[in-house]
Amino acid sequence: MKNVKLGLALCGSYCTYDKVLAAAEALAEEYELTALMSETASHTDSRFGAAAGFRARLEALTGRPVIDSITAAERVGPERLFDALVIAPCTGNTLAKLAAGITDTAVTMAAKSHLRNGGPVVIALSTNDALSGSAPAIAALLNRRNYYFVPFGQDDPDGKPTSLQADFTKIAQTVDAALAGRQLQPILR
C-alpha cells in the first residue's frame, strides 16, 4: 500500500510516544508516511524525552520534515497531501477542539484541511479525562462523518479510572477500515 499517503499527527500525550513511534515504524513499511506535530508537541521536552529527539526520529523514519505550524498544515487539503490522517496520540484537548471546530494548532488545521476533501481522520486517543471531561467530545466525534477511532480501553483503571488509551498496534487496521468507509470493531477493547 505504499501508494497510500498517510499523515501521522502527534499531540502532547508524551507518555505514549514510544508506542506511537513503534506504530509509526510499522506504518512506514505499509504507507507513504508524513509526520505532523502540534506546536506544543514539537517544542516541549518532558520527562519522557526531548522534543528534538522525537522530531528527529520522525524525520529519519519518514524522510521528510515534520509539519508543525498552522500555515504549513493548511496545505494538507488543497494539495491533497494524504489519503488518511491519523492523530496519534490525540489528547482530550485536541478532541474537544475537533468536536467544537476550533483550528488553532497544526494538528487541528491539518484535520480541518483534510476533512474539506472528505478524507478520513483516524483518532488514536490518549487522555486521562476520557470518561469525564472529554467524554462529550468523544461522543460527538464518534457520531461525526469521516472520523474513525482506533480501538481503545482503560489503560490504568485503578490508578486513573477515567483514563482511556488507544491500542496503538491497531492503527493500520483502523486506517484500512477507514479508507473503506467503516469503523473498525470493536471500538472498546
Side-chain angles (χ1 to χ4, degrees), residues 14-104:
Y14 309 108
C15 63
T16 63
Y17 276 21
D18 285 337
K19 292 176 185 178
V20 171
L21 288 167
E25 290 172 2
L27 292 169
E29 292 178 16
E30 271 190 71
Y31 306 98
E32 182 182 319
L33 192 63
T34 301
L36 303 94
M37 295 177 86
S38 70
E39 290 81 344
T40 301
S42 181
H43 296 95
T44 303
D45 297 336
S46 74
R47 64 187 172 109
F48 299 100
F54 291 121
R55 178 188 197 88
R57 287 173 65 187
L58 288 165
E59 290 178 345
L61 181 65
T62 64
R64 297 175 182 79
V66 168
I67 296 171
D68 68 349
S69 72
I70 291 173
T71 53
E74 191 278 331
R75 327 176 359 248
V76 167
E79 296 180 22
R80 296 187 181 271
L81 295 183
F82 310 127
D83 297 303
L85 175 66
V86 176
I87 304 175
C90 186
T91 61
N93 188 45
T94 297
L95 283 168
K97 290 176 181 185
L98 292 170
I102 297 170
T103 306
D104 65 352

Side-chain angles (χ1 to χ4, degrees), residues 111-158:
K112 174 185 175 179
S113 191
H114 181 68
L115 285 166
R116 75 184 245 171
N117 299 326
V121 175
V122 173
I123 305 289
L125 66 84
S126 178
T127 181
N128 289 331
D129 73 342
L131 297 175
S132 55
S134 291
I138 294 169
L141 294 177
L142 277 169
N143 293 306
R144 197 164 295 162
R145 187 171 177 261
N146 294 332
Y147 281 97
Y148 303 88
F149 279 78
V150 175
F152 55 83
Q154 289 182 285
D155 55 308
D156 182 3
D158 295 324

